[in-house]
């Protein structure tokens, strides 16, 4: 498995944080969507990876939102081109965790 840092779109944690804050401010995100984005940002910061693989159930537990609310928030973030979601499949063909990358803010 390749290191997640190879998939990151930001060079530094500061750039990742700045993009996240600008996305929140300029898109007037609802509270639940904002929580999901911040959760993805936090997981992306682990080991300076700038990307993360995390299940919707894990995001739901961390944000105290329902799984369906998390899924709607992820769809919103993807539709607004704030995050990029890549579906991952394990070697045995079973669906694995999705990979999420916060896209750089462009205005």
């Amino acid at each position: 498995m390749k290191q997640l840092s190879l998939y990151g779109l930001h060079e530094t944690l500061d750039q990742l944080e700045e993009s996240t804050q600008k996305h929140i401010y300029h898109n007037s995100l609802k509270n639940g969507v904002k929580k999901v984005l911040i959760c993805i940002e936090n997981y992306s910061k682990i080991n300076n990876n700038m990307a993360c693989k995390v299940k919707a159930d894990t995001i739901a537990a961390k944000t105290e939102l329902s799984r369906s609310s998390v899924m709607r928030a992820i769809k919103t973030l993807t539709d607004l081109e704030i995050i990029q979601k890549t579906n991952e499949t394990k070697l045995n063909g079973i669906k694995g965790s999705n990979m999420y990358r916060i896209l750089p803010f462009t205005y």
Side-chain angles (χ1 to χ4, degrees):
M1 180 175 93
K2 292 183 182 178
Q3 288 184 328
L4 286 175
S5 58
L6 298 175
Y7 297 102
L9 299 172
H10 300 85
E11 292 182 17
T12 66
L13 290 176
D14 288 338
Q15 289 176 352
L16 177 65
E17 290 174 4
E18 182 180 352
S19 285
T20 301
Q21 291 305 314
K22 286 183 177 180
H23 283 307
I24 290 169
Y25 177 77
H26 288 285
N27 290 289
S28 302
L29 299 178
K30 292 182 180 178
N31 195 41
V33 177
K34 189 186 315 182
K35 283 182 175 183
V36 171
L37 179 59
I38 291 169
C39 184
I40 290 171
E41 176 194 19
N42 289 337
Y43 275 101
S44 297
K45 290 177 182 177
I46 296 173
N47 298 325
N48 293 328
N49 282 330
M50 310 298 174
C52 68
K53 287 186 179 184
V54 62
K55 290 187 176 273
D57 291 333
T58 303
I59 296 172
K62 291 291 184 186
T63 59
E64 298 180 342
L65 297 170
S66 68
R67 186 179 192 287
S68 60
S69 292
V70 169
M71 297 307 293
R72 281 192 303 275
I74 289 170
K75 180 171 180 357
T76 298
L77 292 167
T78 304
D79 290 348
L80 290 172
E81 297 181 352
I82 294 173
I83 65 169
Q84 181 180 53
K85 173 183 156 186
T86 305
N87 297 322
E88 297 285 318
T89 305
K90 295 180 181 181
L91 292 176
N92 59 4
I94 296 174
K95 184 178 178 187
S97 298
N98 292 314
M99 181 174 63
Y100 299 100
R101 301 188 305 173
I102 297 175
L103 300 173
F105 179 81
T106 55
Y107 194 71

